[in-house]
């Protein structure tokens, strides 16, 4: 496979029908969809400027336009939703989830735009550009934080972007609200079997939310919270249940972040717009799920997405 190509033919067949197609109207010739997607992947994998894309991909302006449009209309979110639905139907989704976040430094090319630092980011509709563009000033400087909710195998189900100084705990409920895996019959699944998180997610609100929905919380209790509970005596409540053996499986999300940051354009943020940067994060998740299909199942791609098998 050429260094300009990442997707195999099987991976491409999984997502080909969900991408833009020629409309049949007169105008400029329709760009090859596969070349555009490979160009977008190449740019983020190498961390180069858009105008430095190799000529084999065609005009860089066309590639940028494709990426910007698909980020705005939520194309990659729809592709990820269909892949996760197909994976759930095939029994590939492990519903013991893990949650965490990782920091990405914002390059100076990503910060030379007007930012309303007093405004918050948008968590209910990730397709709308937030006033702060998802960039904040943390201890290491201007940065962005990527929040992930992954399944038991470390494959992403939900991805959100916040400024670097944003806390992890307040982002838990928005992540859970974005969790929707559709099914052929019945309502989409929004409730996992268990959620693993580190001490940053140990709060009364999170534990109450999980308990009310019958979700097992695999979250350790910080020492200060233990002290507060013990000082209150019988009014402090019961000790928090914690499965030590299950918590060891939380390392899958740390490994996912290692794979994510193999793309240099994600390890360092060069994009001015949060929706454009997040679209690349979701694209990375699409690539991960397509590889999972190729590795785990020996059936035709059409069958995975509800079509007819060619075998």
């Amino acid at each position: 496979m050429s260094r300009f190509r990442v997707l195999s033919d099987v991976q491409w067949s999984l997502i080909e029908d969900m991408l833009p197609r020629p409309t049949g109207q007169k105008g400029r010739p329709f760009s090859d969809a596969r070349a555009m997607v490979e160009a977008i992947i190449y740019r983020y994998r190498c961390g180069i400027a858009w105008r430095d894309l190799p000529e084999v991909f065609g005009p860089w302006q066309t590639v940028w336009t494709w990426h910007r449009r698909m980020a705005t209309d939520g194309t990659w979110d729809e592709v990820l939703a269909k892949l996760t639905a197909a994976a759930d139907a095939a029994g590939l989704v492990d519903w013991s989830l893990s949650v965490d976040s990782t920091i990405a430094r914002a390059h100076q090319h990503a910060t030379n735009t007007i930012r309303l630092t007093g405004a918050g980011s948008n968590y209910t509709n990730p397709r709308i550009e937030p006033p702060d563009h998802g960039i904040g000033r943390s201890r290491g400087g201007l940065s962005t934080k990527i929040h992930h909710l992954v399944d038991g195998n470390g494959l992403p189900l939900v991805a959100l972007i916040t400024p670097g100084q944003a806390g992890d705990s307040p982002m838990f409920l928005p992540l859970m609200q974005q969790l929707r895996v559709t099914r052929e019959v019945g309502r989409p699944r929004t409730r996992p079997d268990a959620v693993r998180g580190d001490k940053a997610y140990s709060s009364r609100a999170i534990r109450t939310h999980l308990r009310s929905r019958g979700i097992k919380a695999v979250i350790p209790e910080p020492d200060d919270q233990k002290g507060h509970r013990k000082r209150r005596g019988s009014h402090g409540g019961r000790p928090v249940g914690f499965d030590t053996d299950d918590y060891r499986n939380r390392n899958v999300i740390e490994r996912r972040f290692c794979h994510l940051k193999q793309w240099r354009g994600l390890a360092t943020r060069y994009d001015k717009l949060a929706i454009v940067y997040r679209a690349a994060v979701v694209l990375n998740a699409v690539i991960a799920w397509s590889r999972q299909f190729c590795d785990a199942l020996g059936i035709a791609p059409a069958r995975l997405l509800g079509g007819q098998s060619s075998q």
Side-chain angles (χ1 to χ4, degrees):
M1 183 179 295
S2 168
R3 68 185 181 92
F4 297 120
R5 293 180 59 182
V6 173
L7 298 173
S8 66
D9 292 338
V10 177
Q11 286 179 284
W12 174 247
S13 65
L14 286 170
I15 65 176
E16 179 180 9
D17 294 337
M18 294 179 272
L19 298 179
R21 292 189 169 201
T23 60
Q25 299 178 353
K26 294 182 178 180
R28 295 184 178 180
F30 184 81
S31 300
D32 179 60
R34 183 168 185 174
M36 295 299 102
V37 174
E38 294 282 7
I40 296 170
I41 296 173
Y42 185 87
R43 187 264 175 174
Y44 283 96
R45 187 163 56 91
C46 299
I48 59 177
W50 287 103
R51 62 181 64 248
D52 292 332
L53 277 172
E55 295 182 359
V56 67
F57 295 119
W60 68 268
Q61 297 93 333
T62 304
V63 180
W64 156 250
T65 301
W66 267 72
H67 185 49
R68 178 69 170 83
R69 287 176 179 174
M70 289 193 291
T72 304
D73 60 24
T75 298
W76 292 121
D77 287 295
E78 296 175 3
V79 173
L80 180 61
K82 291 182 179 180
L83 288 178
T84 53
D88 185 48
L92 294 180
V93 179
D94 185 338
W95 283 97
S96 295
L97 309 188
S98 297
V99 61
D100 207 347
S101 68
T102 186
I103 286 282
R105 283 293 304 271
H107 193 268
Q108 59 183 356
H109 292 170
T111 60
N112 56 349
T113 185
I114 297 176
R115 290 180 290 110
L116 301 179
T117 56
S121 292
N122 178 35
Y123 310 133
T124 58
N125 188 356
R127 301 182 188 179
I128 299 178
E129 181 66 20
D132 58 8
H133 302 298
I135 296 177
R137 189 175 295 278
S138 59
R139 182 177 298 179
L142 293 175
S143 59
T144 289
K145 185 175 284 189
I146 303 172
H147 300 262
H148 258 343
L149 194 63
V150 305
D151 80 333
N153 299 313
L155 295 170
L157 296 172
V158 182
L160 292 177
I161 301 297
T162 64
Q165 81 278 8
D168 289 350
S169 180
M171 284 302 301
F172 179 79
L173 294 182
L175 285 169
M176 293 293 291
Q177 291 170 0
Q178 295 291 327
L179 178 64
R180 293 177 61 87
V181 177
T182 58
R183 294 179 167 180
E184 294 182 359
V185 179
R187 298 178 180 178
R189 178 161 183 175
T190 61
R191 186 174 63 180
D193 298 328
V195 173
R196 310 184 190 103
D198 57 20
K199 293 181 180 180
Y201 297 94
S202 178
S203 71
R204 181 175 299 178
I206 290 178
R207 294 186 185 277
T208 301
H209 173 79
L210 295 177
R211 189 183 306 112
S212 65
R213 301 188 63 194
I215 303 172
K216 178 183 177 181
V218 187
I219 303 173
E221 187 180 24
D223 292 338
D224 60 337
Q225 293 183 9
K226 291 180 182 179
H228 296 330
R229 175 172 51 79
K230 292 179 179 179
R231 280 194 294 271
R232 296 186 63 187
S234 59
H235 297 287
R238 297 179 179 178
V240 173
F242 178 58
D243 190 337
T244 306
D245 294 333
D246 192 11
Y247 184 72
R248 293 191 180 98
N249 297 319
R250 197 190 68 85
N251 68 85
V252 295
I253 193 168
E254 304 295 349
R255 299 204 306 267
R256 169 48 46 192
F257 288 140
C258 289
H259 288 294
L260 177 78
K261 291 190 174 183
Q262 291 297 314
W263 287 16
R264 297 185 178 186
L266 296 181
T268 301
R269 174 176 168 177
Y270 300 98
D271 299 302
K272 292 182 175 65
L273 301 181
I275 57 174
V276 173
Y277 181 71
R278 179 182 174 274
V281 175
V282 178
L283 172 58
N284 183 275
V286 168
I287 302 302
W289 276 107
S290 65
R291 286 176 177 169
Q292 177 73 358
F293 279 132
C294 296
D295 295 340
L297 298 179
I299 57 180
R303 185 178 170 188
L304 292 172
L305 300 179
Q308 297 297 323
S309 174
S310 60
Q311 294 184 346

